[in-house]
Amino acid sequence: MKKKPNYGELAFFVVFLLFSVAMFLQAIKFTPAGRLFPVIILGTLIVLLVIKVISILNPKVASTLDAEPVLQDTPLSEGEGGEESGERNPQATFRTELYMIGWIVSLVLLVYFLGFMVAIPIFLFAFLMVQGKHGLKVSLVTTAAVYLGIYLLFVVFLNASFPAGRLF
Amino acid sequence: MLQAILAGVAEVFSWPTFLYVMIGSAVGQVFGVLPGLSGSIAMALLIPMTFGMSAAEAMALLGGAMGAVTFGGAITAILFNTPGTPNNAATCLDGYPMAKQGKAGVALGAAATASALGAIFGLVVLTAVIPIMRQIVLAFGPPEYFMLAIFGLTIIASVSEGSFLNGLIAGAFGLFLSMIGLSPVAIDKRFTFGTLYLWDGIELVPALIGLFAIAEMINLVANSKSVSRTGTVVKGGILEGILSVFKHFWLFIRCCVIGTFIGAIPGIGGSVSNFVAYAHAVQTEKDGKFGQGDVRGVIASEASNDSKDGGALMPTLALGIPGSPTAAVLLGGLLIHGIFPGKQLMVDELPLVFTLVITLVVANLYTSTVGLLLGNWLTKITTAPTTILAPIVLVLTTAGAYASRNNLGDIFVAVIIGIMGYLMSKFQVSRVPVIIGLVLGSLAEQSFSTALQISRGSYAVFFTRPYSLALFVLTIVGAIYPFYASYRKRHKAPGAAEN
């Protein structure tokens, strides 16, 4: 039976390829000295990505290119990882991964709009309550402890000047 | 020289110098543990405190921080796949898989021992070569730097064995990242997307935080209840880890030599040496299961990144050319106290050199001992729920990414690279070659251009100088070896199956 290509992987490498082509088109406009390395590197990257896309579309090519991996950092979702979460299925895992990306982006946005010292407790408390589903007590204590630690280390000891947010 | 050594020992163990060594070590260890905060930041913060001190006391405080920071970084590399400093990036490759298997204690024991002994090795070499230091350092010019960078890039072939195509893609992507910013050889603003922030290029700290810490937190929360696969930690692993260094002592020595040698080359430092040593371990230890929790991977990385301190001090003390960022801050501390590197330091102030050397030895022993004592306690963190661990690591790394340069742009870069790193790991593209490319890309470009300027456009300069030629030969061997090893494996396999 013909093996179906992994469309997620295909999309990733196609976008990567398009990005590399766009960068290559920028690179050829640089001065001769400035473009030498970028053109060589991006040209190589484009060739490699074309081969990769072909290998995804035609798994026969893939099998001739890649032997059994010896060293790679497989994602934990492949079963190599930590204590597994029991009843997780691929859709649930994918959903949680998207939520996590959302959390991380929201942390950056909070920092940008509210500033570090406001964003950190809000993010911690919300994450622990909503994503972690921990109780109010655990969430409050953890948030307070981490906030105090960060304040003492970065503000008191390091004298770091965390910028205020755009809104405050 | 013996007199100078004894004077150095006496100074370090006198009061209050010893107290300063301990304070510096404690600060260095804390900074090492926190991703984004490097040894150079710790030392820069300590410099104002040295204004009222004698030069020897200042060296004790700064040297303590310098010696302690690298092992601190190994702790988070092993427990959370988040290198505390760029020098510990290769420690993640096997240290973290060991933590997932409940063997964090073994990894910590091995890291602590390899770090302490590695640092001592580097410092012994430093002491031995003090009389001939100047000649060694001056032998390295732009052609040698270029060849060294190219040699480093062949590591990609080793760390991506088996999925060579993905490894090359990741390496080329890392090289592309290193090209971002103002061109070092022309007037171009390359791939800056109209932002001022990218003129300086992509910094290593946010890239590391993104690729390893952020990407791993996404994976952890989605797939695991805790870092440790079994939810428990194996007790008694610390001793096994300590003994493993002696079991693989010859590998340890080789990696120390690599670390000291690379550390001695100004501008290269531990972020390169740990990958070179790791690749060396992968290539030479045939029965290894590298990347799946082989203690030899931890030993190789930690031995090299701590032995590099001894090497980094060679050009710093002899020529005033810092061999690493921490050595650069140390140099600043020396100058503030009126001590000038070169003849003055190496002849007139030799006891001060040994005060620094002994301080580094004490700091390394101190941090490794603390690490070993706290090892069993630290490994319990790997059983903590990921939904508590992940947000804490995320806010700490975000604050660390910002604090390393006080630049909000670093947080955005960390997150973008983090999402990219997550996608790479999801589609089985190793993230390690990205870092190798990022570290070596600009070095290769800059030294290539300078070497050609020196030789007036003649490429012969890369092959007519002895060290450059030697590195070229090593590069060819390093590039061909993975193919040869793969060929041998393929041709051995049918025979093995028949047997």
Side-chain angles (χ1 to χ4, degrees), chain A residues 31 34 73 75 83 88 97 158, chain B residues 45 188 222 225 422 425 431:
Chain A
T31 58
D73 48 1
E83 192 190 356
R88 283 266 162 81
E97 286 167 349
L158 281 177
Chain B
L45 282 162
D188 302 289
K225 286 179 183 168
Y422 153 71
S425 96
R431 290 162 288 182

Side-chain angles (χ1 to χ4, degrees), chain B residues 59-348:
Chain B
M59 285 306 100
L61 189 69
L62 297 176
M66 185 180 181
V69 77
T70 313
F71 173 63
I75 295 171
T76 46
I78 290 166
L79 299 181
F80 313 122
N81 202 26
T82 305
T85 71
N87 302 343
N88 306 102
T91 308
C92 297
L93 298 175
D94 280 291
Y96 185 61
M98 288 178 79
K100 288 194 290 189
Q101 293 157 16
K103 293 180 189 167
V106 181
L108 283 172
T113 312
S115 288
L117 297 181
I120 292 169
F121 179 94
L123 295 166
V124 168
V125 173
L126 168 71
T127 308
V129 300
I130 276 176
I132 52 161
M133 220 182 261
R134 188 177 281 263
Q135 289 91 322
I136 294 174
V137 174
L138 287 179
F140 259 74
E144 286 77 17
Y145 280 106
F146 175 71
M147 281 300 174
L148 190 78
I150 298 299
F151 172 60
L153 288 173
T154 60
I155 295 164
I156 290 171
S158 300
V159 297
S160 46
E161 190 185 346
S163 55
F164 195 52
L165 179 63
N166 286 357
L168 287 179
I169 289 171
F173 178 60
L175 285 170
F176 162 71
L177 290 180
S178 75
M179 297 292 125
I180 292 175
L182 286 176
S183 166
V185 295
I187 52 160
D188 302 289
K189 295 190 288 280
R190 301 188 303 202
F191 317 114
T192 55
F193 303 99
T195 63
L196 198 62
Y197 167 79
L198 286 175
W199 282 30
D200 284 341
I202 301 283
E203 285 291 315
L204 192 56
V205 168
L208 274 172
I209 284 176
L211 273 180
F212 292 99
I214 293 179
E216 204 54 53
M217 289 309 116
I218 298 172
N219 278 330
L220 262 183
V221 174
N223 299 291
S224 316
K225 286 179 183 168
S226 64
V227 172
S228 170
R229 187 181 190 176
T230 55
T232 55
V233 288
V234 179
K235 283 192 175 174
I238 299 276
L239 184 64
E240 192 187 328
I242 296 170
L243 294 175
S244 70
V245 177
F246 298 99
K247 196 177 158 194
H248 305 289
F249 199 67
W250 179 226
L251 171 72
F252 163 78
I253 293 289
R254 295 196 312 267
C255 294
C256 285
V257 172
I258 290 170
T260 310
F261 176 73
I262 293 179
I265 303 164
I268 307 281
S271 51
V272 176
S273 75
N274 69 353
F275 281 116
V276 174
Y278 185 84
H280 169 74
V282 173
Q283 284 178 342
T284 54
E285 301 290 306
K286 308 246 188 281
D287 57 335
K289 290 194 170 176
F290 291 95
Q292 297 164 34
D294 194 317
V295 75
R296 283 170 288 187
V298 176
I299 294 169
S301 171
E302 286 303 308
S304 67
N305 67 22
D306 271 275
S307 59
K308 70 107 185 43
D309 280 344
L313 286 176
M314 294 178 195
T316 312
L317 303 178
L319 300 170
I321 304 167
S324 66
T326 47
V329 182
L330 184 80
L331 183 64
L334 280 170
L335 295 173
I336 286 168
H337 286 271
I339 309 289
F340 292 92
K343 189 173 170 290
Q344 183 200 354
L345 186 62
M346 305 308 292
V347 179
D348 306 335

Side-chain angles (χ1 to χ4, degrees), chain B residues 382-393:
Chain B
T382 60
T383 62
T386 53
T387 48
I388 289 186
L389 206 59
I392 296 173
V393 171

